[in-house]
Amino acid sequence: MQVQKQLEKQVDAAGINGCPTCAFEIVGDSYMEGEVVTCEGCSAELEVVGLKPLRFAEAPEVEEDWGE
Amino acid sequence: MKKIDLIYTRLRTEERMILDALRKRECDVELHQDSDLVLPLDAERWSGGNVVLMRSMSLTRSRYLAAILEVKGARVVNSSRAITTCGDKILTNLALAAHGVAMPWSFAGFEEEACVAEIERRGYPVVTKPAVGSWGRMVARIEGRSAAEGLMQMRFETGSAQDHVGLVQQYIDKPGYDLRVYVMGRTVGGIRRRSEHWVTNTARGAVPERYEVPESHAKLAERAAAAVGADIAAVDLLETREGEILVNEVNHCVEFARSIESTRLPLPELIAEYIAGVHP
């Protein structure tokens, strides 16, 4: 299950060190997996899905029961 | 070193700031993404630390995880009871009512025509909102019978059986803002949320500004947090044109990213301080 999930994550992440939406290069070494960052290029919300190399995917859509 | 487990859905600005604040306090923080957790439903002790900070964005995940971890001996902040109560506006209103906390009148109904009849009896405008929902989504002001019929029909003909409950609340004619008081055992500060729109969620564009919380507001907010059993809470207050203060909602997973810059309230530090204090 874990292996399958990791494979899915790799397929999802279009960009390596870059925004999957606009290809803006994102650098830094203090990111954590699962962290949500905003792309400075296109303001898209991105989730860190891998660290070595740094990979991003579009953050998932809001779910019905999310939020305070 | 104090060991803290932090459970999250997404490591947003809030979680990142709380994590940094905890580590500054020399806490050993272990991060757990809720999607990765698979926990046996038994009373075996949780292999993590004694204190769990629940920051899952999902109501479903957070209330189950908190309930499971409590049985396994963890002290979860907020507790499963607080999450369950705060996550459901009907249960919140009931908890507030049981403790005599001032709030707008509200009622729950389970059939379209009965709800419309009760709205007609009480008069317009009123507000309807989903019993379970967030960020001001699907909150509507009802101005007259046609809107009441339409909205109640939508409420009862869409969604699943658990959505088929009409929650109707007194409309409070706010003076252009509402108030939010942060409670961590005691009141630690507050914000005023100003908006042209009658819905004053910062997620819906309301502008946060600082306000010094008067003693009377602080006491009311602390009573509301205690009523729902929350350690850490953001209590939303409504002020009537006559100056009466009413509790509108109590939030159990406090979000602050949109307000921290303008209000300068050190909420991540305060949360970390509280969590470190909970540790035995």
Side-chain angles (χ1 to χ4, degrees):
Chain A
M1 194 65 194
Q2 191 65 29
V3 172
Q4 188 188 354
K5 196 171 168 187
Q6 279 170 1
L7 285 173
E8 281 171 8
K9 280 186 176 178
Q10 280 179 7
V11 173
D12 283 348
I16 293 179
N17 274 16
C19 172
T21 306
C22 74
F24 184 88
E25 192 185 4
I26 303 170
V27 291
D29 56 10
S30 62
Y31 291 108
M32 300 172 72
E33 205 158 335
E35 184 165 356
V36 175
V37 296
T38 303
C39 172
E40 288 178 38
C42 65
S43 299
E45 271 211 323
L46 306 175
E47 181 177 347
V48 179
V49 294
L51 295 174
K52 288 178 182 174
L54 188 59
R55 287 183 295 108
F56 296 90
E58 279 186 80
E61 290 294 308
V62 167
E63 297 212 18
E64 261 182 40
D65 71 338
W66 279 11
E68 62 170 34
Chain B
M1 192 173 261
K2 294 177 174 179
K3 188 169 183 316
I4 313 281
D5 292 282
L6 195 162
I7 298 179
Y8 66 99
T9 306
R10 287 162 63 179
L11 206 64
R12 300 169 295 172
T13 307
E14 281 94 342
E15 285 71 35
R16 188 67 197 244
M17 292 174 94
I18 294 168
L19 175 65
D20 292 343
L22 281 167
R23 286 185 170 154
K24 260 193 275 173
R25 278 170 177 70
E26 298 189 342
C27 292
D28 173 18
V29 186
E30 191 166 339
L31 290 163
H32 307 269
Q33 197 159 16
D34 57 15
S35 53
D36 291 339
L37 286 173
V38 177
L39 297 170
L41 303 182
D42 58 30
E44 287 290 308
R45 289 198 70 80
W46 156 245
S47 57
N50 292 320
V51 178
V52 175
L53 176 58
M54 183 58 68
R55 291 289 309 181
S56 173
M57 291 162 71
S58 158
L59 174 64
T60 310
R61 292 180 191 182
S62 62
R63 71 176 173 204
Y64 282 134
L65 285 170
I68 294 167
L69 292 173
E70 281 162 2
V71 170
K72 292 177 174 297
R75 166 79 160 89
V76 186
V77 178
N78 279 312
S79 70
S80 60
R81 177 172 91 85
I83 294 167
T84 303
T85 308
C86 293
D88 184 315
K89 295 174 178 71
I90 293 174
L91 297 182
T92 300
N93 284 2
L94 282 173
L96 297 176
H99 289 80
V101 178
M103 60 179 172
W105 59 251
S106 61
F107 70 82
F110 303 93
E111 201 273 334
E112 180 188 326
E113 284 179 17
C115 286
V116 173
E118 181 61 13
I119 294 169
E120 285 273 302
R121 194 183 72 75
R122 294 193 182 234
Y124 300 94
V126 292
V127 173
T128 183
K129 43 175 100 170
V132 177
S134 44
W135 295 326
R137 287 173 294 176
M138 290 185 283
V139 175
R141 183 169 62 187
I142 302 177
E143 310 271 4
R145 184 172 185 117
S146 301
E149 288 171 342
L151 282 161
M152 286 301 126
Q153 191 173 35
M154 282 170 72
R155 173 75 68 228
F156 288 98
E157 289 192 7
T158 57
S160 57
Q162 65 191 18
D163 302 312
H164 295 171
V165 50
L167 169 59
V168 177
Q169 184 181 309
Q170 179 185 7
Y171 172 70
I172 304 296
D173 182 21
K174 291 180 295 215
Y177 58 81
D178 77 354
L179 304 166
R180 163 166 283 207
V181 177
Y182 299 102
V183 177
M184 287 161 211
R186 60 182 176 83
T187 296
V188 296
I191 59 168
R192 185 182 285 113
R193 299 183 296 187
R194 203 171 280 284
S195 177
E196 297 290 311
H197 198 282
W198 70 277
V199 178
T200 40
N201 284 69
T202 53
R204 295 267 298 256
V207 179
E209 54 188 47
R210 186 156 190 174
Y211 98 108
E212 295 302 325
V213 185
E215 184 70 22
S216 58
H217 296 196
K219 276 190 178 157
L220 183 64
E222 286 165 16
R223 283 180 56 216
V228 298
D231 287 273
I232 295 176
V235 182
D236 294 342
L237 305 177
L238 301 176
E239 190 175 342
T240 68
R241 296 277 179 184
E242 293 73 39
E244 191 186 1
I245 303 293
L246 306 168
V247 174
N248 187 32
E249 289 180 15
V250 185
N251 298 286
H252 64 273
C253 188
V254 179
E255 293 174 358
F256 49 78
R258 292 184 191 87
S259 57
I260 197 161
E261 262 187 43
S262 53
T263 61
R264 301 280 170 208
L265 274 175
L267 288 172
E269 307 294 328
L270 291 162
I271 292 172
E273 195 175 296
Y274 185 85
I275 295 296
V278 165
H279 207 284

